Amino acid sequence: MSWKGTVHRALRRSTGFELRRAPPPREPRPRPRPPRVRVRSGDRLVEAPVFILSTVRSGSTLLRVLLGSHSQIHAPHEMHLRDIAVEVKSKYVERALDSVGLDQAHLEYLLWDRVLHRELAASGKSVLVSKTPNDVFILDRIRACWSDARFIFLLRHPAAIAASRHATRPQDTAERNVEMIRRYAVALEQARTELPGHTVRYEDLASDPAGETQRLCAFLGVPWEEAMLDYGRHRHRGLKAGLGDWTEKIRSGQVQSPTLPPPDAEVAGPLREFAEAWGYLPAGPPTAAPGARAPAS
């Protein structure tokens, strides 16, 4: 018996464990591209929709109600486009749709556009702002649907996000909480590196709502209105669980100062790279891009 076999046998006998070669690290799977959709005249009723891209618990509901208090901006509650789908149930339907240049993906996009246009038309306003945090996971499909879509990137200190999510979901373990936030942060940072748009920090928005909304209005091409700041005087639907923030802080109708994040030393390891990338922590030694896997040795 070789010396390796002797060691393995002794280890199993004394501890019940054995040494095994670790499997090679998995290469990250490329994000699948959505099918190409040929857009014809009249297919899209919503022009240049704006999407707020953020993690959960980043203040996106506050940003929504401030923008939605503008006379020209409609910002409905979370619409969860990712889970709005159509089903093509037979080959005959496939043939019929194909004959007019449609397929399942195209039908879904028509439905998404129609739902948002219905909201916009009912509001009597001209600019549609959509916010659902899980939109960061369907960004390719959003861009395939609306080639003229615009984007606002909303950032918040990752440790503050973790603390806020723990307060609303105390049943989750600290590890699950951090992993959930990390998944959103990876997708958000990828969007920020790939797309043009306007970046705003929650801390700046809560500390200087006038200045930040002025810059947002300039990005959206509408004049700033002071009435946006008093969002409690406007009717905003959807302040309930599943449709956005529902806590007393947002229901107060007033912008409140942001809470201080935990000390830098308490930022969970998986979130530190995003705290650095977003300017909340000083940059450490050079590393791979946030969320990227280290190359196999």
Side-chain angles (χ1 to χ4, degrees), residues 56-121:
V56 294
R57 307 306 303 170
S58 286
S60 58
T61 298
L62 174 63
L63 179 53
R64 173 181 81 82
V65 294
L66 288 171
L67 291 176
S69 297
H70 192 286
S71 63
Q72 297 182 36
I73 301 173
H74 180 55
H77 57 67
E78 295 180 4
M79 298 303 296
H80 298 279
L81 296 178
R82 183 172 69 164
D83 296 325
I84 299 177
V86 298
E87 181 182 4
V88 177
K89 300 182 67 172
S90 74
K91 62 182 179 181
Y92 302 108
V93 176
E94 290 180 0
R95 292 175 187 172
L97 294 176
D98 183 65
S99 69
V100 292
L102 293 173
D103 58 18
Q104 182 168 324
H106 201 153
L107 283 177
E108 286 186 0
Y109 295 157
L110 289 175
L111 178 58
W112 287 5
D113 181 75
R114 184 66 182 88
V115 168
L116 293 190
H117 183 263
R118 180 175 182 269
E119 281 293 303
L120 183 61

Side-chain angles (χ1 to χ4, degrees), residues 2 15 63 88 145 284:
S2 68
T15 68
L63 179 53
V88 177
C145 182

Side-chain angles (χ1 to χ4, degrees), residues 124-138:
K125 299 183 180 183
S126 58
V127 178
L128 190 285
V129 173
S130 180
K131 89 94 178 172
T132 305
N134 62 35
D135 281 348
V136 298
F137 301 121
I138 58 167

Side-chain angles (χ1 to χ4, degrees), residues 54-58 136-137 156-169 172-189 267-268 270-275 278:
S54 71
T55 74
V56 294
R57 307 306 303 170
S58 286
V136 298
F137 301 121
R156 187 182 185 184
H157 194 301
I161 298 172
S164 179
R165 187 176 186 275
H166 174 72
T168 58
R169 294 189 61 86
D172 282 358
T173 65
E175 292 77 15
R176 176 175 172 77
N177 189 38
V178 167
E179 175 57 24
M180 175 66 71
I181 296 164
R182 192 196 70 83
R183 286 181 55 241
Y184 276 89
V186 168
L188 175 58
E189 185 62 14
V267 179
L271 302 180
R272 292 191 70 86
E273 56 184 330
F274 301 102
W278 299 345

Side-chain angles (χ1 to χ4, degrees), residues 209-262:
E212 291 302 321
T213 52
Q214 287 172 16
R215 284 182 278 274
L216 283 161
C217 285
F219 171 70
L220 297 177
V222 296
W224 182 70
E225 297 175 355
E226 187 175 3
M228 297 170 65
L229 305 181
D230 192 9
Y231 73 84
R233 296 184 59 185
H234 301 263
R235 182 172 178 265
H236 295 287
R237 295 177 299 164
L239 300 181
K240 59 181 68 175
L243 302 180
D245 194 6
W246 68 95
T247 60
E248 290 302 316
K249 192 172 184 178
I250 194 69
R251 289 177 175 274
S252 70
Q254 297 180 336
V255 180
Q256 300 183 26
S257 298
T259 56
L260 293 176

